[in-house]
C-alpha cells in the first residue's frame, strides 16, 4: 500500500516538474507571451516579494477568517435546517423550495447585496460564504436522512429503540457520511464566497489583492495569489480527509 502511494506521489511530482519546466522554456523562448503567462521563476520571485514584506499575512488572515467563519456557520445552519426539514414534513414544504431557489441562482451574485447590507468589512464576506455552504449542507443532511432505509428504522423501533436511539444509531451516522462527502466541496465554496466578496469590495484580503493585481494587469501577482489560495484550500482538503477517515472509521475498516 505504501509502495503504491509512493509511486503515485512520484508520478505526480514528475508530471508537475515536467509541466513547470515546459512552461519556463516556452515562456523564455517566446512561444508563450510572458505578459499573459509569466515564467514560473518570475512567479516565484513574486511569491518571495509578497512574503518578504510580511503584509501578505494580514490579507491571508482576513480571507481565512471570513472563509472559516462562513464554513462553520454554514455547517451549523445547513445541518440544523436540513435535519428539521427532514423530520418535520410541513417545515420541509417551506424550506425545500427556498433552498432549491437559492441553489438555482449563482449565489455569488448576492455579493453586492450583502456588501450593501453588511458593509465592506468581514460581515459581508462571512455572509456570502455562509450562504454558499449552508445550501450545500442543507441538501446533504436532508438527503442523508430521507435516504435512510425505512426497514432499518422499523427494525430499530421493533427492538424497542426510541427516537434517541434512532438519532444516535441510524440518522446521525447516515447524515455524517453525507456531510463528510460534501465537506471538501463546502471548503471550496467557503473560500469562493470570501474571495469573491473581497474582490467585489474590500480593503484587505486575498480577493482585494487579486482585484488590485487585475486592475494593474499584473499577471505574475495574480497567478501567485491564485496559487496561494489553492495551497491553503488543498491543506484544508487534507484536514477534511483526515477528519472524514476519523469520523467514518467504520467505513474504512
Amino acid at each position: 500500500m505504501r509502495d503504491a502511494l509512493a509511486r503515485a506521489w512520484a508520478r505526480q511530482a514528475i508530471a508537475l516538474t515536467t509541466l513547470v519546466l515546459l512552461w519556463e522554456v516556452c515562456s523564455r523562448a517566446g512561444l508563450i507571451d510572458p505578459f499573459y503567462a509569466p515564467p514560473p521563476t518570475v512567479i516565484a520571485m513574486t511569491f518571495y516579494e509578497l512574503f518578504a514584506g510580511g503584509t501578505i499575512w494580514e490579507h491571508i488572515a482576513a480571507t481565512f477568517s471570513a472563509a472559516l467563519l462562513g464554513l462553520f456557520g454554514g455547517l451549523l445552519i445547513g445541518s440544523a435546517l436540513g435535519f428539521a426539514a427532514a423530520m418535520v414534513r410541513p417545515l420541509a414544504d417551506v424550506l425545500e423550495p427556498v433552498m432549491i431557489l437559492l441553489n438555482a441562482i449563482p449565489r455569488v451574485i448576492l455579493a453586492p447585496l450583502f456588501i450593501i447590507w453588511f458593509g465592506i468589512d468581514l460581515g459581508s464576506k462571512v455572509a456570502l460564504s455562509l450562504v454558499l455552504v449552508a445550501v450545500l449542507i442543507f441538501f446533504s443532511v436532508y438527503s442523508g436522512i430521507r435516504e435512510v432505509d425505512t426497514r432499518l428504522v422499523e427494525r430499530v423501533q421493533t427492538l424497542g429503540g426510541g427516537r434517541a436511539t434512532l438519532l444516535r444509531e441510524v440518522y446521525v451516522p447516515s447524515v455524517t457520511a453525507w456531510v463528510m462527502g460534501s465537506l471538501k466541496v463546502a471548503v471550496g465554496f467557503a473560500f469562493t464566497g470570501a474571495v469573491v466578496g473581497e474582490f467585489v469590495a474590500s480593503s484587505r484580503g486575498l480577493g482585494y489583492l487579486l482585484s488590485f493585481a487585475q486592475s494593474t494587469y499584473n499577471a505574475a501577482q495574480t497567478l501567485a495569489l491564485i496559487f496561494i489560495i489553492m495551497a491553503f484550500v488543498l491543506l484544508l482538503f487534507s484536514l477534511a480527509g483526515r477528519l472524514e477517515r476519523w469520523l467514518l472509521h467504520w467505513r474504512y475498516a
Side-chain angles (χ1 to χ4, degrees), residues 9-166:
W9 277 99
R11 288 193 296 268
Q12 293 170 4
I14 292 171
L16 180 60
T17 303
T18 303
L19 177 62
V20 170
L21 289 175
L22 284 173
W23 182 359
E24 180 76 25
V25 170
C26 291
S27 184
R28 295 293 181 182
L31 299 176
I32 299 176
D33 191 342
F35 179 81
Y36 299 106
T41 51
V42 175
I43 298 173
M45 183 59 65
T46 305
F47 266 114
Y48 173 78
E49 292 171 355
L50 285 171
F51 285 96
T55 56
I56 185 68
W57 293 110
E58 176 188 358
H59 298 286
I60 290 175
T63 301
F64 236 82
S65 299
L68 292 181
L69 287 173
L71 176 64
F72 290 126
L75 285 170
L76 290 175
I77 293 175
S79 298
L81 293 178
F83 185 83
M87 301 301 291
V88 182
R89 185 63 199 179
L91 191 58
D93 294 336
V94 176
L95 286 176
E96 190 176 7
V98 174
M99 291 299 178
I100 291 175
L101 180 63
L102 282 175
N103 195 48
I105 64 172
R107 267 104 60 207
V108 293
I109 67 175
L110 298 174
L113 184 61
F114 286 159
I115 289 169
I116 293 173
W117 287 350
F118 304 111
I120 66 171
D121 292 327
L122 184 66
S124 58
K125 286 68 180 174
V126 173
L128 185 57
S129 295
L130 188 149
V131 170
L132 288 168
V133 174
V135 173
L136 172 68
I137 298 302
F138 170 85
F139 284 110
S140 296
V141 173
Y142 184 66
S143 300
I145 294 178
R146 295 291 297 273
E147 292 297 323
V148 169
D149 191 345
T150 56
R151 291 173 298 178
L152 177 61
V153 174
E154 292 170 356
R155 288 169 184 168
V156 172
Q157 292 174 333
T158 301
L159 293 173
R163 182 174 291 270
T165 303
L166 283 173

Side-chain angles (χ1 to χ4, degrees), residues 148 152 168-181 242-253:
V148 169
L152 177 61
R168 184 179 63 254
E169 303 296 339
V170 178
Y171 291 125
V172 169
S174 176
V175 167
T176 302
W178 279 75
V179 170
M180 294 309 302
R242 290 178 179 272
L243 179 62
E244 179 181 6
R245 287 191 292 272
W246 179 66
L247 289 175
L248 303 180
H249 57 86
W250 50 269
R251 171 185 290 179
Y252 291 95

